[in-house]
Amino acid sequence: MERYLSDPPDGGYGWVVVTSAFFIMGLTAAVFKNFGLFFLEIQSYYDVLNSTTSWMTSTTIAVFHLGAPLASALSMHLSQRTVIIVGGLLATSGMIIASLGLSLPWMYLSVGLLQGLGVSFSWIPANSMVNHYFRRWRPIAYAIASSGECVFAMGFSPFFQWLIDSYSWQGALLVIGGLQLNLCVCGALMKPLPAAQTSIQDKPVLEDGRTSKKGTFQWSLLQRPELLLYIVFAILAAAGFFIPPLFLVPYASGLGMEPYWAASVLSVLALADLLGRLACGWLANLRLVRNLQLLTMMVTALGVVLLLFPVAQSYWSILVFASLYGFLFGCVVAIHVTTIVDIVGLEGFDSALGLFMLLRSSGGFVGPPAAGWLVDRTHDFGASFYLSGLCLVLSGVFLVLVDRLVKKKLKLPHSNTEATDQPTLKADGAHV
Amino acid sequence: MSHARNALVMLCGVLMLRSGFAQNEPSIESTDHMILPIGYHSPPITLQCNLTASQTKHQDSYWMKNGEEIPDTRGKDKNTEYKLNKPRPEDSGEYMCVYTFESGPPANATIEVKAAPDITGHKRSENKNEGEKAVLYCKSVGYPYPIWSWRKLDNGAILDIDNSSGRFFISSKDGYTELSIINLDINSDPGEYECNATNIIGTSSMPSVLRVRSRLAPLWPLLGVLAEIIILVLIIVIYEKRKKPDDVPDDDEPAGPMKTNSTNNHKDKNLRQRNTN
């Protein structure tokens, strides 16, 4: 049986990796989340429509997802450290070029392509490192790392606004670009793990010593039904994820809420997200149920909350529902990546992660326009919540199927594995 | 005799002049023109119109403000009222009660409700880069429409704006005024500007702060961030060198436990191995 790493450190330097990943997630995802603050400025500077400027961030999302498998493959060929450093340089250059503000297509290239690629090259390997460095503490380590996105997002909101006021949007982008250079510093901290490449008995991995690689991108993973079904879950879930944040504010405004209150709902949501990630990471670490089962419960609960969301008509009920949504969303985010290890094992994790990010983006692209079409047809913003709730509950069905398949493959007893989450536990029950 | 007759004719004529309106045109009694007190706590006021005499039967009546009909004010009474429960400066204006008739033109009476200007909208502060154009504006309510003026506050002293450079433009209309400054100069333009609205009743003014950003300003924080990054990288490199001076992590190097004993067979191959147990 092949093991990518015989013995993850599970602590020690791993916590340095977690801290580094915390900053990487913050400097990438949180910057992107707060980019909306620049929209008005850039839109009036170039004198174009709102929808035209939003293409910038759409390009970023697209490049991020398309670059995911590339980032995975590169980090396997070179090392995660190298790819993160390259990602940091790309992101910084993207921001600095954007700050020159030459023309709108130039912005698409810099903010969309360069920044998107840089974010992809930083985010994916950081994820990978955290998962590789831990076994027993993996869920909570990943949860802490991913909470960096929330913490930074909350802090960056006022900070970016102050930057724009003090230095204009061009100056702000320049400073942010400099800050993103810290990604290289974080990448430098990601010491690669010594990898056990050789199999135990008969497969010498090193056929050609000079070009010994960490592994090749395993496209064959797609043939595994459990991974395919998990990706279907991911596509549906992505559709469900991306819809509510877009329609929450219009829904609240439609009920007569003022913009200031609607913005406060978003802040509460971000806080609930943070709490959800940490809580669920800790919960998953207790190993009371399998990761897949926990994920199924959270996804279904999230879908139900969204289906019930239109019941909220007043400020306080919206706040309650939004915090529930944020909390469950954080839970799902905290464990849906570490679950990939349960499905394909650690050696297939990098490839699977790349494929996962690439394919689930389709859900993210189709979801919001579909919800928008539904809202236009029904003249009711609540329809978008029905759609996302439905997508999530449906995705939960696929999760149950995946869980069954994985259980069957491992021939696990009904009781849960306490010691490890690696599928390759028993000698004969090895899953290849 | 003729004097008396002349006087009588004149008297009749005058009387006819006065009541000539009464005989040929309707007469309306209306509230006097008024001035709203300053602030937002004045007592409710009522505008009244009473159709005292008219030739033909009147149809209905309605109120107008500043030339536009006020909705939901149509009625059939001769005595019509328009109430302002909480009069505010924006309620000031030229009010008219209009009576329409089955035959003949409508009749109206005008009541002017005046108030001192109150500036309701203005930009508290504006940040622009040097060389760009800045626009400061003020909006006011209060009838009659005020005369606008812009001044600059310098250490408490109120100065007129020095337009020797020709970069300042003021455009005002009714209750709105705009001060545009083109090609901002970082040395002379930043500061506090004040728009002033004055009409026959009173005056009001509001300050706006203009800040001009230097083009090179963001370079300082950028340099600071770069310095921080260089310091961190140096720390990491030095730390790694000191820990393992001869063992720079090489990503291509295989390592880890090798449980097989087949190393002897691979002597010919280009393998790098580590001695581990």
Side-chain angles (χ1 to χ4, degrees), chain A residues 5-313:
Chain A
L5 185 70
S6 55
D7 193 18
D10 230 339
Y13 194 78
W15 296 115
V16 175
V17 170
V18 168
T19 314
S20 167
F22 181 91
F23 279 92
I24 290 180
M25 307 245 197
L27 287 169
T28 50
V31 166
F32 171 74
K33 269 186 177 171
N34 281 308
F35 208 79
L37 292 169
F38 286 90
F39 272 12
L40 275 177
E41 302 279 331
I42 295 179
Q43 178 208 338
S44 59
Y45 184 79
Y46 290 108
D47 203 15
V48 287
L49 301 167
N50 231 325
S51 52
T52 320
T53 36
S54 66
W55 274 107
M56 281 190 311
T57 40
S58 305
T59 320
T60 314
I61 299 177
V63 173
F64 170 78
H65 284 100
L66 290 173
L70 183 62
S72 292
L74 279 178
S75 58
M76 287 196 285
H77 276 263
L78 306 167
S79 77
Q80 285 96 339
R81 166 191 285 195
T82 319
V83 179
I84 295 177
I85 293 178
V86 169
L89 291 171
L90 282 172
T92 305
S93 57
M95 279 300 193
I96 292 181
I97 292 178
S99 78
L100 295 174
L102 299 170
S103 70
L104 201 55
W106 209 242
M107 298 292 287
Y108 294 149
L109 222 67
S110 52
V111 174
L113 186 61
L114 285 175
Q115 171 84 355
L117 214 57
V119 164
S120 188
F121 277 21
S122 307
W123 197 86
I124 303 274
N127 259 307
S128 161
M129 284 302 261
V130 171
N131 280 292
H132 281 296
Y133 254 85
F134 286 86
R135 189 170 53 199
R136 178 164 146 60
W137 296 105
R138 185 182 297 133
I140 206 167
Y142 182 76
I144 294 176
S146 77
S147 68
E149 175 190 329
C150 302
V151 169
F152 273 85
M154 289 196 293
F156 274 175
S157 278
F159 177 60
F160 279 16
Q161 190 59 53
W162 175 82
L163 276 178
I164 297 176
D165 284 340
S166 312
Y167 298 113
S168 84
W169 66 269
Q170 293 106 321
L173 283 179
L174 193 64
V175 174
I176 294 170
L179 284 173
Q180 284 194 316
L181 207 52
N182 279 296
L183 287 168
C184 297
V185 174
C186 297
L189 287 171
M190 296 289 205
K191 263 202 304 214
L193 286 167
Q197 304 228 11
T198 58
S199 69
I200 310 299
Q201 265 89 29
D202 24 32
K203 272 203 267 175
V205 171
L206 304 170
E207 284 126 29
D208 153 9
R210 188 69 203 97
T211 58
S212 65
K213 307 285 184 211
K214 278 209 155 77
T216 50
F217 194 82
Q218 298 172 34
W219 290 99
S220 60
L221 280 173
L222 275 177
Q223 292 167 352
R224 298 197 199 178
E226 59 267 17
L227 184 64
L228 268 180
L229 287 174
Y230 192 73
I231 287 180
V232 174
F233 145 74
I235 294 175
L236 283 170
F241 281 169
F242 282 95
I243 297 176
L246 292 175
F247 287 91
L248 186 58
V249 175
Y251 175 77
S253 311
L255 290 178
M257 221 191 264
E258 284 167 21
Y260 171 70
W261 293 114
S264 68
V265 171
L266 286 177
S267 316
V268 166
L269 212 150
L271 190 62
D273 186 0
L274 173 65
L275 295 173
R277 291 188 198 210
L278 294 174
C280 207
W282 171 79
L283 192 64
N285 227 98
L286 294 179
R287 301 259 153 74
L288 298 170
V289 293
R290 282 199 299 284
N291 280 347
L292 272 167
Q293 292 174 319
L294 189 60
L295 187 60
T296 316
M297 287 192 286
M298 293 302 173
V299 164
T300 317
L302 185 60
V304 168
V305 165
L306 281 171
L307 283 172
L308 292 175
F309 205 102
V311 166
Q313 299 285 324

Side-chain angles (χ1 to χ4, degrees), chain A residues 167 171 174-175, chain B residues 214-228:
Chain A
Y167 298 113
L174 193 64
V175 174
Chain B
S214 154
R215 277 218 185 275
L216 299 175
L219 284 182
W220 293 112
L222 184 66
L223 285 176
V225 169
L226 289 178
E228 166 246 328

Side-chain angles (χ1 to χ4, degrees), chain B residues 130-150:
Chain B
E130 54 177 338
E132 285 187 341
K133 170 178 149 185
V135 174
L136 302 173
Y137 70 88
C138 286
K139 278 190 203 157
S140 85
V141 293
Y143 177 85
Y145 291 125
I147 297 181
W148 291 99
S149 64
W150 283 90

